Each structure stands twice: as structure tokens, then as C-alpha cells.
Amino acid sequence: MTDTTLIRTPVPGTPVPDAPVPDGPAAGTRWSPRLWGALVVLCAAMFLDALDVSMVGVALPSIGADLHLSDSALQWVVSGYVLGYGGLLLLGGRAADLLGRRRVFLVALAVFAGASLLGGLVDNGPLLIGARFLKGVSAAFTAPAGLSIITTTFPEGPARNRALSIYTTCSAAGFSLGLVISGLLTSAGWRLTFLMPVPVALIALVAGVKLLPRRADGQRASGGYDVAGAVTGTAAVLLLVFTVTEAQGAGWLSARTIGSLLLAAALAASFLLIESRTAHPLVRLGIFRDAGVRRANLTALTLMGSYAGFQFVATLYLQRLLGWSALETALGLLPGGAVVALSAGAVGRLLDRFGPARVLPVGVASMVLGYALFLRLDEHSGFVGLVLPSMLLIGAGFALAFPSINVAATSGVSDDEQGLASGLVNTALQVGGAIVLAVTTAVLTAGSAGGTDAHAQLAGYRPALLLVTGTTTLGLLIALIGALRSGRAAAAVPGVTAKATAGAEAVEEVRAER
């Protein structure tokens, strides 16, 4: 490890770390093997999280047949994970700040391995759903802890941009490969899809103990524990995710759904009131004064929501209407993930040169175009004419947009709140996915009116894809506003050249001027 001390630009209103940061790379230096090893461990955990989300989908029919689960019970094999993950991300992020990022990451990774093993060995539905919920909880702690270790180890600028591009690539690769791997493993037995991550998680755990920087535990946020905020905030998110997940079955206008939404809103209002008055809040509301952080979280919500909705619609269309097998569907969607995997280095350089505010709108626009092209679907669409161009555009957009979101969501945030910032953006991703997917499902069901012929199916798929495209367009508008305001703010900074403004150093200067 290099012994170079990093000097960060202080942001008004945030504390400056008291100690030097010895484990991170100085600007322009080559990363040491130990630093690369630590990044690989963090990427492995994110790879497993993404892999787990995609692998279980293909295995669901086999799970239902083997464990005699109804469709409603089978849904909770997926929803249980989403509930644990999305509901506890804020708590996971703040726990990383208070208890130590390295410690939280390693403990949660060990729980992930144990829950994976349990899921592969259980012989009844409730235990499997419980294992999936526990797995989601562990991911809610590894994701923000891992991201905040990256953002506190790599300084803002080229080093962090490169690290986050690699990190995002591993997430996309895990999600894409999970579809293919699951198709192969399920043919041998669905339990293998649960057991396969266990050795990978254990290897990452052992490597993490040796390679992750110990200063990630040494520099913790000061202050007490916001128990009331943790209870109300976690309950609000859990109830919201649960309600939108169940709304399709219970009815969006049913007393149960409306009552649950009102209760979630009341809990959220209580949470905000507590956070505004407590001395040591779970979420310091002042973090949202940074317009870049606000826009990054809103864009994350729309983009992950639209992608979750698109994948759901595309999978049903390819398998039910076109008659593709599960493996053919996975291979058909694979080009999008391949684009992300091959573009990590290039995206890092683009972020260095132009900054996230300029790169993000380009990525979101590419996703909008990809979804719009898929609206051409019909009874006889083929891979080359429809699926391939759409997936290439969506993959390119994903590769540009999501590293930009991670950079923007954590830039200018003090080290002792990086876990909080990471938890916020991951919460936006998960909650956005749950909400938009639920609404997309409702639109699809209403459009098809229960029909199973090709005409009825297309009548459901098209309005659902319009919703997906419109949601992403909203994200594009938010990103364009950010690009325009960032450009105006940079122009107002005396002595900053256009070239420097586009780079990461100018981002710090502009944020400091705010």
C-alpha cells in the first residue's frame, strides 16, 4: 500500500476527517496488488447479490413443483429477498458508518453464505422464503458497506471513477450471467442455484479478512444510535415494498392496499419528524441539500424501476408469445450485460473527462431509445430485428448511467457519511424496482384482460412498455436538468477552464461553491 496521505477538498457543513487515509491510491499512482485484491472482494459480493436476484427467476417453476407451492406462495421466494434487501438498506448503510464498514461487510457476507446454504437444503416453502428474506437482509448490509469502502478508499476523481465503473460492471455481469447459469443449473436441480454462491462467498470472506483496509473500521461516524428513526424508517420502507408487492393480488384500490399505503406514509412522516429533531439521526436530512445527491437518487429510482419492468415484460413476451425456452431467453438478453462488461475502462475515462453530470443523460437517453425500439414487438419479431438492437442500446445506457449515478450520489459527501449516501442510493434502486415493477404488472394485466391469445398478450405488453419508456424519460429529464445546472455553476466559478470543468476536479469545486 502506498503511504501517501490524501488531501480532500472540504465541503462546507461537513466535518473533515481527523486522520490521514493511508490505504487509498494517490491521484495518478498505480494501484497495488493488495488494493486490487480488496476491490475484487467488494466486486465479488456485489456480483453475488446481482447473481442471486436473476438466478432464482428461472428456477421458480421447478421450486414450485418440488415443494408444492402455489403461485402466490412462489412469488414470495422473490419478494422475500426484495423485502429484506430494500427494507433494511438505510439501516445497513448507517450501521456501516457507526459500527465499521469492514466489520459490517464481513459479518453480512458470512450471513449471506449461511443463508445460501440454508436455502439449498430446506424442504418446505416457509423455510425457503425465510432463507431468502435473510439473504436479502445480508445484502442490505453488504451493498452499502462495500460501496462506502470504495468511496472512502478511492479519492474523488479518476481513481474512484475507475473503481466504481469496475464495481458496476461486476453487478451487471452477475445479473446477466445469473440468467444463463440458472438455466444450466436448474436442468440438474434447482437447489444448485442456491448452493453455487456458497463457496464463492466463503472465498471472498477469507480474502476480505486479509485484504480489506482496516481503516474502514477505524474511521467511524461519531454519535449515538437513532433507535426511533431506525424503527420508523425501516418499518416505512418494509411496509411500502410489501404493499406494492401484494397490491396486484389484493387489488390496488382495496381497503387493505390503501390502508397499508396510508400507514406507510404516516410512518415516513414520523421518520422525517424524528430525523429533523434528533441529535444523531439515522439519515441526516441535510444531505439532501446537495442537488447532485437528490438528482442521483431520483434518477436511480426511475432507472432501476424501468429496467425491472422491462425485463419482466420482455421475459414474458419472449417465452409466452414467441415460445423461447428459458435458456434462449437468457442468451437473448445477454448482449446487454456483455456491453456493460466490456465497457468498464472506457466509462471510467469518460467520467474523468466529462464528469457524471454530462455522462448520465447520454446513458439514460440510450436506455429510453432501447425501450422505445422494443415497442415494435409483434407476433413474429426476431432476435436480430428487435431484441439485439434494443439490448445493445439498453446495455450501453446501463454502462454509462449507473457508474455516473454512484459517483454523483457519493461525491462531496464526508467520509463519515459515505455509508449513509451508499444506503440511500441503493434504497432508491430497490424501492424503484419494486414500485415500478408492481405498476408495470398491473398495467400488463389490465391491458390483456386475462386473455391468452397473441392479440390479448400484445394488448398488455405494449402499454406496459410505454410505462417503462415514460418512467425512463422522466429520469432523462432529471438528468438533463442536472447537466444544465452543473454547466451553469461551473461557468460561474472564476478561473476554471472548460476542460477542467468537465473533469472530476471541477465537480469538487462546483460542489464546494454550492
Side-chain angles (χ1 to χ4, degrees), residues 23 68 116 172 179 184 203 206 217 240 245 282 287 293 302 310 330 345 399 419:
D23 289 303
H68 308 291
S116 297
L179 295 170
L184 296 173
I203 292 171
V206 173
D217 278 346
L240 176 62
T245 302
L282 177 69
I287 196 172
V293 172
T302 60
F310 169 77

PDB file of all heavy atoms in Angstrom, residues 23 68 116 172 179 184 203 206 217 240 245 282 287 293 302 310 330 345 399 419:
ATOM      1  N   ASP A  23      -4.620   3.987   3.091  1.00  0.00           N
ATOM      2  CA  ASP A  23      -4.825   2.799   2.289  1.00  0.00           C
ATOM      3  C   ASP A  23      -5.289   3.089   0.875  1.00  0.00           C
ATOM      4  O   ASP A  23      -5.433   2.185   0.068  1.00  0.00           O
ATOM      5  CB  ASP A  23      -5.846   1.878   2.966  1.00  0.00           C
ATOM      6  CG  ASP A  23      -5.268   1.240   4.217  1.00  0.00           C
ATOM      7  OD1 ASP A  23      -4.236   0.583   4.098  1.00  0.00           O
ATOM      8  OD2 ASP A  23      -5.847   1.433   5.288  1.00  0.00           O
ATOM      9  N   HIS A  68     -44.299 -28.027  -3.802  1.00  0.00           N
ATOM     10  CA  HIS A  68     -45.772 -27.932  -3.841  1.00  0.00           C
ATOM     11  C   HIS A  68     -46.249 -26.550  -3.386  1.00  0.00           C
ATOM     12  O   HIS A  68     -47.126 -26.429  -2.514  1.00  0.00           O
ATOM     13  CB  HIS A  68     -46.406 -29.030  -2.969  1.00  0.00           C
ATOM     14  CG  HIS A  68     -45.901 -30.403  -3.279  1.00  0.00           C
ATOM     15  ND1 HIS A  68     -46.173 -31.072  -4.456  1.00  0.00           N
ATOM     16  CD2 HIS A  68     -45.092 -31.242  -2.556  1.00  0.00           C
ATOM     17  CE1 HIS A  68     -45.593 -32.253  -4.456  1.00  0.00           C
ATOM     18  NE2 HIS A  68     -44.925 -32.386  -3.316  1.00  0.00           N
ATOM     19  N   SER A 116     -27.529 -18.815   1.972  1.00  0.00           N
ATOM     20  CA  SER A 116     -27.498 -19.529   0.695  1.00  0.00           C
ATOM     21  C   SER A 116     -27.484 -21.034   0.926  1.00  0.00           C
ATOM     22  O   SER A 116     -28.202 -21.794   0.251  1.00  0.00           O
ATOM     23  CB  SER A 116     -26.265 -19.119  -0.119  1.00  0.00           C
ATOM     24  OG  SER A 116     -26.292 -17.750  -0.454  1.00  0.00           O
ATOM     25  N   ALA A 172     -23.594  -5.828 -13.191  1.00  0.00           N
ATOM     26  CA  ALA A 172     -24.304  -6.153 -14.432  1.00  0.00           C
ATOM     27  C   ALA A 172     -23.931  -7.540 -14.935  1.00  0.00           C
ATOM     28  O   ALA A 172     -24.780  -8.291 -15.430  1.00  0.00           O
ATOM     29  CB  ALA A 172     -23.992  -5.107 -15.489  1.00  0.00           C
ATOM     30  N   LEU A 179     -28.794 -15.304 -15.310  1.00  0.00           N
ATOM     31  CA  LEU A 179     -29.858 -15.840 -16.151  1.00  0.00           C
ATOM     32  C   LEU A 179     -29.404 -17.105 -16.865  1.00  0.00           C
ATOM     33  O   LEU A 179     -30.130 -18.095 -16.953  1.00  0.00           O
ATOM     34  CB  LEU A 179     -30.280 -14.784 -17.180  1.00  0.00           C
ATOM     35  CG  LEU A 179     -30.916 -13.508 -16.626  1.00  0.00           C
ATOM     36  CD1 LEU A 179     -31.058 -12.472 -17.733  1.00  0.00           C
ATOM     37  CD2 LEU A 179     -32.271 -13.799 -16.000  1.00  0.00           C
ATOM     38  N   LEU A 184     -28.793 -23.387 -16.810  1.00  0.00           N
ATOM     39  CA  LEU A 184     -27.985 -24.602 -16.852  1.00  0.00           C
ATOM     40  C   LEU A 184     -28.125 -25.408 -15.559  1.00  0.00           C
ATOM     41  O   LEU A 184     -28.289 -26.633 -15.592  1.00  0.00           O
ATOM     42  CB  LEU A 184     -26.522 -24.243 -17.093  1.00  0.00           C
ATOM     43  CG  LEU A 184     -26.207 -23.579 -18.445  1.00  0.00           C
ATOM     44  CD1 LEU A 184     -24.763 -23.111 -18.481  1.00  0.00           C
ATOM     45  CD2 LEU A 184     -26.500 -24.528 -19.595  1.00  0.00           C
ATOM     46  N   ILE A 203     -14.935 -17.929  -0.125  1.00  0.00           N
ATOM     47  CA  ILE A 203     -13.618 -17.498  -0.625  1.00  0.00           C
ATOM     48  C   ILE A 203     -13.481 -15.989  -0.495  1.00  0.00           C
ATOM     49  O   ILE A 203     -12.439 -15.469  -0.058  1.00  0.00           O
ATOM     50  CB  ILE A 203     -13.431 -17.949  -2.086  1.00  0.00           C
ATOM     51  CG1 ILE A 203     -13.331 -19.475  -2.162  1.00  0.00           C
ATOM     52  CG2 ILE A 203     -12.186 -17.313  -2.691  1.00  0.00           C
ATOM     53  CD1 ILE A 203     -13.357 -20.013  -3.582  1.00  0.00           C
ATOM     54  N   VAL A 206     -12.869 -15.052   3.244  1.00  0.00           N
ATOM     55  CA  VAL A 206     -11.490 -15.282   3.692  1.00  0.00           C
ATOM     56  C   VAL A 206     -10.553 -14.219   3.096  1.00  0.00           C
ATOM     57  O   VAL A 206      -9.700 -13.654   3.793  1.00  0.00           O
ATOM     58  CB  VAL A 206     -11.020 -16.696   3.298  1.00  0.00           C
ATOM     59  CG1 VAL A 206      -9.541 -16.880   3.602  1.00  0.00           C
ATOM     60  CG2 VAL A 206     -11.846 -17.747   4.040  1.00  0.00           C
ATOM     61  N   ASP A 217     -12.712   0.329   9.403  1.00  0.00           N
ATOM     62  CA  ASP A 217     -13.326   0.207  10.722  1.00  0.00           C
ATOM     63  C   ASP A 217     -12.840   1.290  11.674  1.00  0.00           C
ATOM     64  O   ASP A 217     -13.519   1.631  12.634  1.00  0.00           O
ATOM     65  CB  ASP A 217     -13.004  -1.164  11.331  1.00  0.00           C
ATOM     66  CG  ASP A 217     -13.935  -2.248  10.821  1.00  0.00           C
ATOM     67  OD1 ASP A 217     -14.967  -1.900  10.213  1.00  0.00           O
ATOM     68  OD2 ASP A 217     -13.631  -3.430  11.026  1.00  0.00           O
ATOM     69  N   LEU A 240     -43.935  -0.302   2.625  1.00  0.00           N
ATOM     70  CA  LEU A 240     -44.149   0.172   1.256  1.00  0.00           C
ATOM     71  C   LEU A 240     -43.833  -0.927   0.250  1.00  0.00           C
ATOM     72  O   LEU A 240     -44.624  -1.201  -0.664  1.00  0.00           O
ATOM     73  CB  LEU A 240     -43.283   1.405   0.994  1.00  0.00           C
ATOM     74  CG  LEU A 240     -43.332   1.954  -0.442  1.00  0.00           C
ATOM     75  CD1 LEU A 240     -44.744   2.406  -0.799  1.00  0.00           C
ATOM     76  CD2 LEU A 240     -42.334   3.099  -0.611  1.00  0.00           C
ATOM     77  N   THR A 245     -45.851  -4.946  -3.512  1.00  0.00           N
ATOM     78  CA  THR A 245     -45.662  -6.323  -3.973  1.00  0.00           C
ATOM     79  C   THR A 245     -46.962  -7.103  -3.919  1.00  0.00           C
ATOM     80  O   THR A 245     -47.269  -7.906  -4.811  1.00  0.00           O
ATOM     81  CB  THR A 245     -44.599  -7.029  -3.115  1.00  0.00           C
ATOM     82  OG1 THR A 245     -43.366  -6.296  -3.191  1.00  0.00           O
ATOM     83  CG2 THR A 245     -44.341  -8.440  -3.614  1.00  0.00           C
ATOM     84  N   LEU A 282     -30.541   8.798  12.007  1.00  0.00           N
ATOM     85  CA  LEU A 282     -30.181   7.711  11.107  1.00  0.00           C
ATOM     86  C   LEU A 282     -29.872   8.275   9.717  1.00  0.00           C
ATOM     87  O   LEU A 282     -28.920   7.848   9.050  1.00  0.00           O
ATOM     88  CB  LEU A 282     -31.346   6.709  11.011  1.00  0.00           C
ATOM     89  CG  LEU A 282     -31.170   5.530  10.054  1.00  0.00           C
ATOM     90  CD1 LEU A 282     -30.099   4.575  10.577  1.00  0.00           C
ATOM     91  CD2 LEU A 282     -32.491   4.793   9.863  1.00  0.00           C
ATOM     92  N   ILE A 287     -28.280  16.108   4.056  1.00  0.00           N
ATOM     93  CA  ILE A 287     -27.580  15.524   2.916  1.00  0.00           C
ATOM     94  C   ILE A 287     -28.340  15.793   1.620  1.00  0.00           C
ATOM     95  O   ILE A 287     -27.751  15.856   0.540  1.00  0.00           O
ATOM     96  CB  ILE A 287     -27.359  14.012   3.126  1.00  0.00           C
ATOM     97  CG1 ILE A 287     -26.305  13.476   2.148  1.00  0.00           C
ATOM     98  CG2 ILE A 287     -28.665  13.235   2.993  1.00  0.00           C
ATOM     99  CD1 ILE A 287     -25.897  12.040   2.424  1.00  0.00           C
ATOM    100  N   VAL A 293     -26.839  14.984  -5.090  1.00  0.00           N
ATOM    101  CA  VAL A 293     -27.275  13.791  -4.379  1.00  0.00           C
ATOM    102  C   VAL A 293     -28.765  13.541  -4.618  1.00  0.00           C
ATOM    103  O   VAL A 293     -29.193  12.404  -4.860  1.00  0.00           O
ATOM    104  CB  VAL A 293     -26.981  13.926  -2.875  1.00  0.00           C
ATOM    105  CG1 VAL A 293     -27.612  12.782  -2.091  1.00  0.00           C
ATOM    106  CG2 VAL A 293     -25.474  13.958  -2.628  1.00  0.00           C
ATOM    107  N   THR A 302     -35.903   5.900 -10.936  1.00  0.00           N
ATOM    108  CA  THR A 302     -36.601   5.723 -12.220  1.00  0.00           C
ATOM    109  C   THR A 302     -35.905   4.685 -13.095  1.00  0.00           C
ATOM    110  O   THR A 302     -36.564   3.889 -13.773  1.00  0.00           O
ATOM    111  CB  THR A 302     -36.684   7.058 -12.976  1.00  0.00           C
ATOM    112  OG1 THR A 302     -35.366   7.560 -13.223  1.00  0.00           O
ATOM    113  CG2 THR A 302     -37.463   8.087 -12.176  1.00  0.00           C
ATOM    114  N   PHE A 310     -39.063  -3.608 -17.576  1.00  0.00           N
ATOM    115  CA  PHE A 310     -38.751  -4.074 -18.927  1.00  0.00           C
ATOM    116  C   PHE A 310     -38.366  -5.544 -18.937  1.00  0.00           C
ATOM    117  O   PHE A 310     -38.835  -6.311 -19.790  1.00  0.00           O
ATOM    118  CB  PHE A 310     -37.598  -3.246 -19.517  1.00  0.00           C
ATOM    119  CG  PHE A 310     -37.053  -3.841 -20.786  1.00  0.00           C
ATOM    120  CD1 PHE A 310     -37.730  -3.695 -21.982  1.00  0.00           C
ATOM    121  CD2 PHE A 310     -35.865  -4.573 -20.779  1.00  0.00           C
ATOM    122  CE1 PHE A 310     -37.249  -4.263 -23.160  1.00  0.00           C
ATOM    123  CE2 PHE A 310     -35.372  -5.135 -21.937  1.00  0.00           C
ATOM    124  CZ  PHE A 310     -36.064  -4.989 -23.136  1.00  0.00           C
ATOM    125  N   ALA A 330     -32.499 -16.166 -21.781  1.00  0.00           N
ATOM    126  CA  ALA A 330     -31.321 -15.659 -21.083  1.00  0.00           C
ATOM    127  C   ALA A 330     -30.236 -15.249 -22.069  1.00  0.00           C
ATOM    128  O   ALA A 330     -29.616 -14.185 -21.937  1.00  0.00           O
ATOM    129  CB  ALA A 330     -30.791 -16.717 -20.128  1.00  0.00           C
ATOM    130  N   GLY A 345     -13.583   0.069 -18.534  1.00  0.00           N
ATOM    131  CA  GLY A 345     -12.466   1.001 -18.640  1.00  0.00           C
ATOM    132  C   GLY A 345     -12.828   2.259 -19.391  1.00  0.00           C
ATOM    133  O   GLY A 345     -12.460   3.373 -18.993  1.00  0.00           O
ATOM    134  N   ALA A 399     -24.335   0.929 -18.843  1.00  0.00           N
ATOM    135  CA  ALA A 399     -22.906   1.095 -18.595  1.00  0.00           C
ATOM    136  C   ALA A 399     -22.536   2.543 -18.317  1.00  0.00           C
ATOM    137  O   ALA A 399     -21.636   2.821 -17.512  1.00  0.00           O
ATOM    138  CB  ALA A 399     -22.118   0.583 -19.810  1.00  0.00           C
ATOM    139  N   GLY A 419     -21.428   5.647   4.126  1.00  0.00           N
ATOM    140  CA  GLY A 419     -22.363   4.538   4.271  1.00  0.00           C
ATOM    141  C   GLY A 419     -23.800   4.996   4.101  1.00  0.00           C
ATOM    142  O   GLY A 419     -24.612   4.315   3.462  1.00  0.00           O
TER     143      GLY A 419
END
